[in-house]
Amino acid sequence: MRSGSRPPATTPIGVVGAGTMGVGVAQCFAEAGYPVTLHDPDPAAKAAGERRLRTGLRAARLLRRPAPGDPPAEVAARVRWASAPDALADAALVVECGPERMDVKERILGTLDAACDPATVLASCTSAIPVDILAGHTGRPDRVLATHFMNPAHLKDAVEVVRGPRTSEESLATVLALLDAIGKRAHLVGDSPGFVSNRVLMPMINDAAARVEEGTADAETVDLVFTDCFGHAMGPLRTADLIGLDTVLDSLVVLRETTGDPRFEPTALLRDLVERGHRGRKSGRGFHTYEIR
């Protein structure tokens, strides 16, 4: 979806959270030439984020065709790391990439509302929480929406954009123009728990986990049914491992709370895996096992 001329390369971008998604989003903007301030108050998260950014830049050059034009060191230099939210005060857009827990995201949005210029657009990278709930924790509900980047953000071409009932045309246009400028296709959807992607995907993952839990098939076979029989690029349980089982669990909890639908009650197997630290690809083990590099 096109939205007009490219915003100038001097447009300041903010990102909250130095985890997998936050660093991936920062990389997307930095590769397109934009100055990015990445805020995370945890020094350990910052150190891990810097390593994650270097790894992501190397992966982009190896896997994306054509390869990004600027050298990795030049792209990395566009990302400024900040421990205080005040560093985001002048950003035109701030993308919030905190954990998928309602209380955490509500707190972050409230902090950003106080720290940022009144004109700043606040975009949550939430995968399940309705935009209007988050917007209600700010004094600028017209400037709040969701940009649901997919993982890994720097290698996925599309973003699910969620417009809340109070999101203004101006805020939406700002976000669509910036996404277009970084080479992302925006798919605009309305506000609802889980939106389109996770309202459909999460119960499928949960049901797939239930088939493993009850002994109908092992995880490998469940995924092969989807890849070999239906032609899916990846089965639901490998998809869950890629997303992160902790994020899947948090998303299901949000969907259960916001819809009241028992389909979203997480399976015991999923809860057990997360409790044991088996969070998917990022931990080396989830429904499947992986080599951590």
Side-chain angles (χ1 to χ4, degrees):
M1 182 174 182
R2 301 284 168 176
S3 54
S5 60
R6 177 186 172 101
T10 54
T11 303
I13 304 297
V15 176
V16 176
T20 299
M21 189 55 68
V23 172
V25 170
Q27 178 178 337
C28 292
F29 282 99
E31 283 183 330
Y34 290 95
V36 180
T37 299
L38 199 160
H39 160 60
D40 196 304
D42 183 358
K46 173 182 177 293
E50 290 175 327
R51 293 193 298 272
R52 192 173 286 120
L53 178 60
R54 291 193 295 269
T55 299
L57 290 170
R58 288 196 298 270
R61 296 190 73 82
L62 289 171
L63 300 176
R64 199 187 305 152
R65 293 291 179 268
D70 294 331
E74 186 174 327
V75 175
R78 295 188 189 119
V79 179
R80 180 169 68 104
W81 303 81
S83 59
D86 292 350
L88 305 172
D90 296 329
L93 169 69
V94 176
V95 183
E96 173 276 315
C97 299
E100 192 63 20
R101 294 196 291 275
M102 201 176 301
D103 59 332
V104 174
K105 288 189 180 293
E106 289 170 352
R107 184 171 66 252
I108 293 173
L109 266 293
T111 298
L112 292 175
D113 187 45
C116 295
D117 186 273
T120 301
V121 176
L122 306 179
S124 176
C125 198
T126 178
S127 59
I129 304 170
V131 168
D132 209 42
I133 290 178
L134 297 176
H137 290 265
T138 76
R140 62 181 84 194
D142 61 316
R143 306 194 74 77
V144 179
L145 71 169
T147 49
H148 181 201
F149 285 80
M150 306 297 155
N151 184 32
H154 59 288
L155 297 177
K156 298 291 186 178
D157 294 332
V159 177
E160 185 181 36
V161 177
V162 187
R163 180 179 186 174
R166 293 181 282 178
T167 305
S168 70
E169 290 287 350
E170 179 187 6
S171 299
L172 180 62
T174 295
V175 169
L176 294 179
L178 283 165
L179 290 175
D180 187 55
I182 65 174
K184 301 296 185 186
R185 296 191 305 274
H187 298 300
L188 182 61
V189 304
D191 197 19
S192 176
F195 321 126
V196 172
S197 58
N198 283 332
R199 190 68 170 265
V200 175
L201 178 61
M202 290 299 146
M204 182 170 71
I205 289 174
N206 209 33
D207 281 346
R211 303 294 73 77
V212 175
E213 185 176 271
E214 71 187 12
T216 302
D218 60 16
E220 187 66 33
T221 303
V222 168
D223 281 339
L224 284 172
V225 168
F226 283 83
T227 57
D228 288 2
C229 296
F230 299 138
H232 291 196
M234 188 181 294
L237 299 180
R238 286 197 184 276
T239 300
D241 284 347
L242 178 62
I243 294 169
L245 299 191
D246 50 342
T247 299
V248 170
L249 178 59
D250 287 341
S251 297
L252 284 166
V253 169
V254 167
L255 287 165
R256 181 70 173 91
E257 291 176 351
T258 53
T259 67
D261 191 332
R263 292 184 307 144
F264 297 111
E265 184 63 38
T267 63
L269 174 59
L270 177 60
R271 288 187 182 277
D272 181 61
L273 287 169
V274 173
E275 286 173 3
R276 288 189 286 154
H278 302 325
R279 297 173 294 144
R281 284 183 178 270
K282 58 190 173 186
S283 68
R285 183 176 175 185
F287 289 104
H288 303 276
T289 57
Y290 306 89
E291 180 183 352
I292 299 180
R293 298 180 179 179

